[in-house]
Amino acid sequence: MHRLLKRGASACCVATLLAAPAVLAGFTTESAHCYKNADGSGRCQGSLLGFRNHAGANTQALFSRSSNAAPYFYAALTTGATTEYFSCTADAMTGAHWSKAMNHEGFFSIYWSAQGDCYSLFLINGSQYSNF
């Protein structure tokens, strides 16, 4: 009985390994997406690497801060022959994390209101973004 259990467990392990998905070691994520609602609110997401390597000639994104101005986000996304522009100024809560955003090498997602205030910023790091 003990041998039968060992063989059954071995067969189960082999079947599991054969059915497992491929390993994604070395997988990198590059993305650049933005949208704007009719009222002017919207979101941009992706990675700075994704914006830099985007096929659109004028596509770019940046997080900026100068000593006398509020933290500022700007992006341009070119699709075909059309370039659309996106920007917002950080509110106090979002601006508190701006230095992290300026040095970030992973995925980001930023939301802004119809008034142009950046009100939400998500920063995600992971090994898939290590080629920045």
Side-chain angles (χ1 to χ4, degrees):
M1 179 71 163
H2 190 57
R3 276 188 180 164
L4 184 59
L5 287 175
K6 280 185 173 180
R7 286 185 183 170
S10 295
C12 180
C13 288
V14 169
T16 301
L17 288 173
L18 291 174
V23 175
L24 299 175
F27 172 72
T28 59
T29 298
E30 296 180 19
S31 61
H33 302 284
C34 293
Y35 74 84
K36 194 181 296 185
N37 296 314
D39 67 356
S41 64
R43 177 182 80 186
C44 281
Q45 66 180 32
S47 65
L48 294 177
L49 178 64
F51 276 85
R52 183 174 62 212
N53 291 337
H54 188 270
N58 298 316
T59 298
Q60 59 181 304
L62 64 90
F63 293 91
S64 177
R65 173 185 284 175
S66 65
S67 60
N68 59 353
Y72 181 76
F73 173 79
Y74 169 82
L77 189 62
T78 303
T79 306
T82 304
T83 301
E84 194 170 0
Y85 301 93
F86 309 88
S87 65
C88 62
T89 303
D91 63 14
M93 188 186 265
T94 305
H97 302 287
W98 216 252
S99 60
K100 292 177 186 175
M102 292 178 69
N103 294 314
H104 191 65
E105 296 179 359
F107 177 86
F108 71 87
S109 181
I110 187 163
Y111 293 80
W112 60 87
S113 67
Q115 294 75 32
D117 298 322
C118 311
Y119 66 86
S120 182
L121 173 64
F122 296 100
L123 303 172
I124 301 171
N125 270 325
S127 60
Q128 69 269 35
Y129 303 106
S130 64
N131 291 340
F132 184 80

